[in-house]
Amino acid sequence: MSATPEDRPHPSPETPPRVVVIGAGIVGCCLADELTARGWTDVTVLEQGPLPAPGGSTSHAPGLVFRTSPSRTLTEFARYTVEKFGSLRHDGVPCFEPVGGLELATTPERLADLHRRAGLAAAWGVRGEVVGAARCKELWPLLDESVVLGGFHTPEDGVARAVAACRAQLDRATAHGARFLDRHTVTGIERADGRVTGVVTDRGVFPADHVVSAAGFWGPVIGRMAGVGVPLQPLAHQYARTRPLPELSGAAAEATLPILRFQDADLYFREHHDRIGIGSYAHRPLPVDPFAVPGYEEARGRGMEMPSSYPFTEEDWAPSWADARRLVPALRAAEVESGFNGVFSFTPDGMPLLGEARELRGFWLAEAVWVTHSAGVARAVAEWMVDGRPSIDVHDCDVTRFEEAQLSPAYVRERGSQQFVEVYDVTHPLQPMERPRPLRVSPFHARQEQLGAFFLEGGGWERPHWYEANAPLVATLDDDLPERDPWSARYWSPVAAAEARATRERVALYDMTPLRRLEVTGPGALDFLDRMTTNKLRRKPGAVTYTLLLDETGGIRSDLTVARLAEDHFQLGANSPADLDHLLRHAPAGGPSRSSEAESGGVHVRDITSGTCCVGVWGPLARALVQPLTGDDFSHEGFGYFRAKRAHIGHVPVTALRLSYVGELGWELYTTADLGLRLWDTLWEAGRELGVIAAGRSAFNSLRLEKGYRAWGTDMTAEHTPAEAGVGFAVRMDKGDFTGRDALRDRPAPTRRLTPLLLDDPAAVVLGSEPVSVDGTTAGYVTSAAYGYTLGRCVAYAWLPAGLAPGTGVHIAYFGEKVPATVAEEPLFDPGMTRIRR
């Protein structure tokens, strides 16, 4: 996530680092202000257009700021944007108007989703409430109340004046030493020895220690100059303004009514004094080639107001205009005065692109950022550059998060376009993208299809969540499963319960191929990994260790399973591409490389995921399945828990790790991709007489939560310490120095903890991200949740105040209902570990 301390320039009054920011839109201006406020005053902001409105997305942005999001990170970005812009004025005019926000429901499904969004808001600390149609009419008198079922009102949201906010921060940053140069077109990025050294423009070269691309939809153009891929797709979005409306005549303020979203029709509305501005996501995706967007003067020569303002396509507007008139009767006699198709940025997952590029040290991205999140993003990037890490978790924005398979131009275009389509959709947290699929499949995919696998997707991988071949097993369950509500029933099947039971009672095969695998070898491998991680790795070959990657403040940036296969050969079970990036950056004398491997200082790091595969063989009959297939000793005495060995399963050479993420006896069996199908078939045929089944991720998640196993990125992130997250057992303070050790030593006792909850009602289910209240006050939020089929209760883990004793009653808000739950003692299942260690 950050350059190593020795590589990262440190600010000082004498020699502040030279920073060049490309783009003086809202992100560039915010970033210059944040950097100079932290003492990095040698900041130059280059802009190809004229200031203060140079013609990018900021220049035409409608400025709607809604903070509520399924992403806690985006909500925090927006919260800070509201806070900061609310404190800024330019020429006496405030840069933010807190007129509030109102999301409407005209269908029962949308109204239910507004209750869910109200839960998200409460979980992330945003004030809001679901209100009835009459209250919606009070808040927005122009509405046709008969169309509306209800709304979600957030009184502290509002309208940002983006250009004014740019100017206010430009002035402040300039006072601190920054300079802003317009009419400077970037033509190249200079570099030497893997580091950025300067920016070339049509008006000269600007030396730099750091370069930040905040170029908006021109980001891919700047990235190409630096040799850095920027997975961003610009799309055009319709926005129109009406002629003056009699109902708004005499309006003294630019906006007084809440900003309005009519998401059932993919529309939003805001006032412009006596006019109404209407934005639409209802039309077909209109992708724009960033390399074909004209510069400012060229755009003006083509009759465009600015490069980001494309001609209005009337044929796309007609359906949206009809929907707008249906909702707002005052528009039925109105006319559209002006309209344009404004260009802005989408990524394959809808999240910003932030951080330092692996390919080029000192080259940073702050791209695909909307005005809503601009100040929050700028603060995070400034903290990252100056302090080495942001103060909040940004792993889902990290530019290194994408797999190689997700970086093709075709993929970025297709997924970016789909993100546009789904901006206002009611999207389930498990809902996968439809295209392009399948993209990545394990060697077992053909067999999984034959078994009727229901696939969801993650990281481009097709991942079975259950198998229809197991449907007959549902009838054998002892207890009837509780009926699910429509939301929790999506992407779920009762088959998952049968698969969980079969795992607990017999044996099941789990496809663990998407689990990221890294290989670290060389004479310096042990010293390197020991310094990077928290647990003791100086154990004999054959040992497997659960350990953590921390940042310098003691936050958990990832968790790893490290198998020492030989003196200088380690296999790591990791989480994301960012783990590889982190290790490559910190390898001795190493540096960022777009390659998936690097060797330096006696350490060789490479990603072996794509060339290998893995089957989890888990259940009380796992040994009965595996032992007859091998001449190696798989007894408990001969192959202990958290041990590894090389062996043969039938004709297939495997690396076997005795691990279990489901709380049962078993092994992870790894082999090369070319032998994967043979491994699966060997295990399947031998397991028939034992009642072996294939089981999916739905059962897996249930079983791992019953056992209390954490999922990094969901249950814990860099915002959390090991003690808070309940993984302090993986930290050995007496082993010598490691990253984050000093910070942990100086940390006070935790004031919050990741806390296990059991829902009181056996029929109740929650899914995650719901607010949790203690004594009637929101005190935290759910991270992971799944029905525990062995326990007969839904299990939820939540961040809550430390000190809540087992037995304490709490409530979880689920679609507006208060669901009672009780703090439990973990592990909930098999606390003596007898099932795993047998």
Side-chain angles (χ1 to χ4, degrees), residues 351-532:
M351 298 295 285
L353 300 170
L354 311 180
E356 188 182 29
R358 178 190 302 174
E359 303 93 324
L360 184 62
R361 286 187 180 182
F363 184 81
W364 296 76
L365 295 181
E367 297 289 13
V369 181
W370 295 6
V371 171
T372 300
H373 310 116
S374 54
V377 162
R379 179 180 66 168
V381 173
E383 291 171 338
W384 211 337
M385 296 174 70
V386 176
D387 303 325
R389 70 182 292 275
S391 58
I392 66 169
D393 170 56
V394 295
H395 80 272
D396 51 1
C397 305
D398 193 321
V399 68
T400 64
R401 69 188 180 270
F402 292 110
E403 306 281 349
E404 288 287 344
Q406 298 173 301
L407 296 175
S408 71
Y411 184 96
V412 173
R413 179 185 176 99
E414 193 160 12
R415 287 290 171 97
S417 296
Q418 189 62 27
Q419 289 291 339
F420 177 92
V421 170
E422 295 182 356
V423 162
Y424 281 169
D425 285 1
V426 177
T427 304
H428 194 277
L430 292 178
Q431 183 173 323
M433 284 287 187
E434 296 177 359
R435 300 178 303 274
R437 291 181 63 195
L439 182 63
R440 307 177 78 186
V441 298
S442 80
F444 324 131
H445 187 257
R447 298 294 183 263
Q448 293 165 346
E449 287 189 310
Q450 292 167 5
L451 293 170
F454 179 85
F455 293 99
L456 296 180
E457 186 225 33
W461 288 101
E462 294 297 318
R463 308 178 79 161
H465 270 242
W466 66 83
Y467 294 85
E468 285 301 322
N470 297 325
L473 298 178
V474 175
T476 68
L477 296 176
D478 297 329
D479 301 314
D480 292 334
L481 293 173
E483 185 176 348
R484 290 209 170 198
D485 65 275
W487 186 252
S488 66
R490 291 191 195 182
Y491 308 106
W492 174 83
S493 168
V495 173
E499 292 177 358
R501 177 179 175 181
T503 307
R504 291 275 187 243
E505 295 183 352
R506 300 193 304 277
V507 62
L509 305 184
Y510 287 82
D511 182 0
M512 302 300 291
T513 299
L515 175 70
R516 179 164 302 279
R517 291 172 292 286
L518 307 179
E519 183 181 74
V520 181
T521 58
L526 175 59
D527 289 341
F528 170 59
L529 290 174
D530 199 46
R531 186 178 72 252
M532 294 295 296

Side-chain angles (χ1 to χ4, degrees), residues 617-825:
V617 184
W618 292 316
L621 300 183
R623 184 174 289 115
L625 170 55
V626 174
Q627 185 63 83
L629 299 174
T630 180
D632 293 276
D633 186 359
F634 272 58
S635 69
H636 182 62
E637 295 73 21
F639 197 159
Y641 186 54
F642 260 71
R643 299 291 299 173
K645 69 167 59 176
R646 296 249 174 74
H648 285 82
I649 302 296
H651 297 92
V652 180
V654 300
T655 298
L657 274 56
R658 189 169 167 197
L659 305 177
S660 173
Y661 286 102
V662 299
E664 296 292 339
L665 170 68
W667 291 267
E668 291 178 356
L669 302 178
Y670 297 88
T671 192
T672 53
D674 59 323
L675 291 169
L677 190 58
R678 183 61 176 262
L679 175 62
W680 180 278
D681 287 346
T682 299
L683 294 167
W684 187 260
E685 290 302 317
R688 285 182 182 275
E689 63 184 31
L690 301 173
V692 70
I693 66 160
R697 296 289 298 183
S698 187
F700 175 90
N701 284 328
S702 169
L703 297 169
R704 71 105 180 159
L705 280 173
E706 288 185 330
K707 194 61 183 168
Y709 294 143
R710 277 64 167 151
W712 184 86
T714 301
D715 298 316
M716 56 188 185
T717 69
E719 290 186 10
H720 309 115
T721 66
E724 293 172 332
V727 290
F729 63 87
V731 179
R732 295 291 183 266
M733 296 294 287
D734 60 349
K735 76 163 192 166
D737 192 31
F738 58 85
T739 302
R741 181 177 182 272
D742 291 343
L744 291 185
R745 184 188 57 212
D746 298 333
R747 281 265 187 174
T751 59
R752 60 180 177 179
R753 290 190 186 276
L754 188 62
T755 305
L757 305 174
L758 281 175
L759 274 61
D760 295 350
D761 183 353
V765 175
V766 298
L767 299 182
S769 297
E770 297 89 359
V772 182
S773 60
V774 180
D775 295 330
T777 301
T778 299
Y781 60 92
V782 174
T783 57
S784 294
Y787 199 85
Y789 302 109
T790 315
L791 302 173
R793 291 285 192 281
C794 184
V795 180
Y797 272 77
W799 281 104
L800 291 171
L804 294 181
T808 302
V810 302
H811 286 89
I812 303 173
Y814 182 71
F815 285 90
E817 300 293 327
K818 291 186 176 181
V819 180
T822 301
V823 174
E825 189 168 358

